[in-house]
Amino acid sequence: MNPLDNIYETIDIFKPNIKLAYDKIGKQICVIKERNLKLLPLYQILREINIPYVPEIYRLVKFDEKLFVVEEYISGQTLLQLVRYEQHIDEQLAAEILRQVCEALKILHGHRIIHRDLKPSNIMLTRDGVIRLIDFSISRIKKDDSDTDTEFLGTRGYASPEQYGFGQTDSRSDIYSLGVTISRLLGSNYNGWLKKIIARCTKLDPMQRYYSAENLLADLDRRKWQQHFKQLKKNSGKVEPEPEPELDTYEKLDSFCKQVEDIDLMINNYLEADSGTLQARLIEQSALQAAEELEKFAHSFTDEDFAEMHAALEEFPLVDSDTEID
């Protein structure tokens, strides 16, 4: 009898070798995967490094010449499900997904793990905007004494040429699959600044691709800043919009108070968001921009504005909260 049967109660069966289960001792939902026993060393490494871009592995159990992997249940949707609803995703999200997968690959490749099956259905996006790589069933640990892989595995259309017997898979093989994935997410009509990155990722000759995830990340950052400055330069040449009508003193004060409230709300949302997530970074960016605009607005108050507000307060003083009103 499988020792897991006494601890975990099956909730649903996703595939014949993957099921959703309830941990009766830990009181939590988890996923149990049946894997080839030869993958035990790889999963032991994944469990030890415990990176945020891979589901946490709770337990590894050997039974009946098979390996059972008990891991974290991820709430979210795969990128394949995402594009089925949206048809394609926008450039900003694609760049963020590319960055996060590169961060994951940087750690995995550092531990000699090659994923070998990167594709939209094997990458999940959680509700807080963090990616998870969810399938390591054909992954391998890179060997220095081998010229080719012993098995030709991968998904047609996403697998690199060397996965079909033209060489040994390495970090550049995952980079190829990642490039194809980002291309599919953006759609066939995409022609933006990520196109050159995708083209280099998907070169047939591994020597012409990015040689590492770090190399790809550096180029992504460089091109992102180039695009940012290009957009700034483009916007600087536009005709200035018509000036907004002047606000009187009380309208200025009311607007100032509302902007302070908005920033206060952003700060509360930032503190509630998980640190380091896409959601937190976007909130932080919006709050900083709002604070800069508020500072500029505060400098627009004139001495006459302050004198008018001071006179109004003398005529209609603020009522203290402890003062009794008849």
Side-chain angles (χ1 to χ4, degrees):
M1 179 180 176
N2 191 326
L4 295 178
D5 293 340
N6 294 326
I7 304 173
Y8 302 95
E9 179 182 342
T10 299
I11 299 174
D12 194 8
I13 297 177
F14 297 147
K15 294 179 181 179
N17 58 348
I18 302 177
K19 63 183 180 181
L20 184 68
Y22 176 69
D23 182 346
K24 292 180 284 188
I25 297 176
K27 307 295 183 183
Q28 63 181 354
I29 303 296
C30 59
V31 175
I32 301 178
K33 298 179 178 180
E34 181 185 320
R35 295 294 185 228
N36 192 308
L37 190 56
K38 70 179 182 180
L39 289 173
L40 177 58
L42 183 143
Y43 275 101
Q44 286 174 329
I45 295 174
L46 289 176
R47 186 182 186 186
E48 181 180 343
I49 60 179
N50 189 24
I51 66 174
Y53 302 108
V54 173
E56 182 180 355
I57 297 174
Y58 300 134
R59 182 175 295 179
L60 298 172
V61 176
K62 293 184 289 182
F63 175 74
D64 195 24
E65 299 302 315
K66 296 175 184 175
L67 173 66
F68 292 88
V69 181
V70 183
E71 65 180 43
E72 174 188 8
Y73 169 70
I74 303 299
S75 177
Q77 60 183 337
T78 67
L79 298 184
L80 180 61
Q81 292 170 324
L82 182 64
V83 293
R84 278 178 178 169
Y85 289 117
E86 307 290 341
Q87 298 303 313
H88 59 81
I89 65 174
D90 64 65
E91 188 177 68
Q92 182 180 357
L93 179 56
E96 177 59 21
I97 290 171
L98 176 60
R99 185 193 67 78
Q100 289 192 40
V101 176
C102 280
E103 293 286 359
L105 292 180
K106 185 169 66 172
I107 301 172
L108 291 173
H109 293 166
H111 288 81
R112 308 181 69 77
I113 294 176
I114 312 301
H115 190 281
R116 293 205 299 179
D117 201 19
L118 287 177
K119 57 184 178 180
S121 61
N122 282 343
I123 302 173
M124 290 194 71
L125 188 65
T126 66
R127 293 178 180 177
D128 58 359
V130 178
I131 66 100
R132 294 287 195 280
L133 305 183
I134 60 172
D135 191 350
F136 288 82
S137 60
I138 66 168
S139 301
R140 65 186 291 267
I141 300 174
K142 186 178 181 298
K143 300 176 182 177
D144 291 328
D145 58 351
S146 178
D147 295 326
T148 60
D149 289 1
T150 54
E151 295 178 272
F152 307 148
L153 299 172
T155 301
R156 189 173 298 277
Y158 291 93
S160 62
E162 54 269 27
Q163 287 178 246
Y164 295 96
F166 296 100
Q168 184 192 183
T169 50
D170 58 19
S171 59
R172 295 167 299 181
S173 307
D174 282 344
I175 287 171
Y176 179 94
S177 301
L178 176 56
V180 176
T181 296
I182 297 300
S183 177
R184 299 287 171 86
L185 295 178
L186 288 166
S188 57
N189 296 323
Y190 175 73
N191 196 33
W193 64 275
L194 286 171
K195 192 169 183 179
K196 289 184 178 180
I197 291 178
I198 293 170
R200 185 172 173 186
C201 286
T202 54
K203 293 287 187 182
L204 294 179
D205 182 359
M207 296 296 292
Q208 295 180 0
R209 297 176 208 152
Y210 296 102
Y211 55 83
S212 67
E214 292 93 333
N215 182 223
L216 172 50
L217 271 173
D219 195 34
L220 175 64
D221 287 339
R222 182 177 64 85
R223 291 184 184 275
K224 184 164 59 176
W225 279 109
Q226 283 180 344
Q227 183 67 18
H228 176 67
F229 288 125
K230 187 185 296 182
Q231 192 62 42
L232 287 177
K233 185 176 180 180
K234 181 180 178 182
N235 291 339
S236 66
K238 292 183 177 179
V239 178
E240 289 294 325
E242 289 291 326
E244 295 183 3
E246 284 288 329
L247 301 176
D248 64 29
T249 301
Y250 295 103
E251 288 174 330
K252 279 186 176 182
L253 183 59
D254 183 58
S255 178
F256 184 86
C257 292
K258 285 180 179 177
Q259 290 182 57
V260 171
E261 290 176 0
D262 289 342
I263 294 175
D264 188 52
L265 179 61
M266 290 181 193
I267 292 173
N268 288 335
N269 289 337
Y270 175 77
L271 294 174
E272 291 176 1
D274 291 336
S275 177
T277 63
L278 175 60
Q279 180 188 15
R281 286 194 298 274
L282 291 176
I283 294 173
E284 182 182 27
Q285 183 179 358
S286 299
L288 289 173
Q289 184 177 354
E292 289 177 2
E293 293 175 356
L294 182 60
E295 183 180 11
K296 293 177 183 177
F297 183 60
H299 287 302
S300 71
F301 282 82
T302 64
D303 291 339
E304 290 76 11
D305 290 330
F306 287 115
E308 190 173 347
M309 284 187 281
H310 183 71
L313 288 173
E314 286 185 340
E315 186 175 354
F316 303 103
L318 296 176
V319 179
D320 188 88
S321 58
D322 296 328
T323 303
E324 293 185 4
I325 302 177
D326 296 330

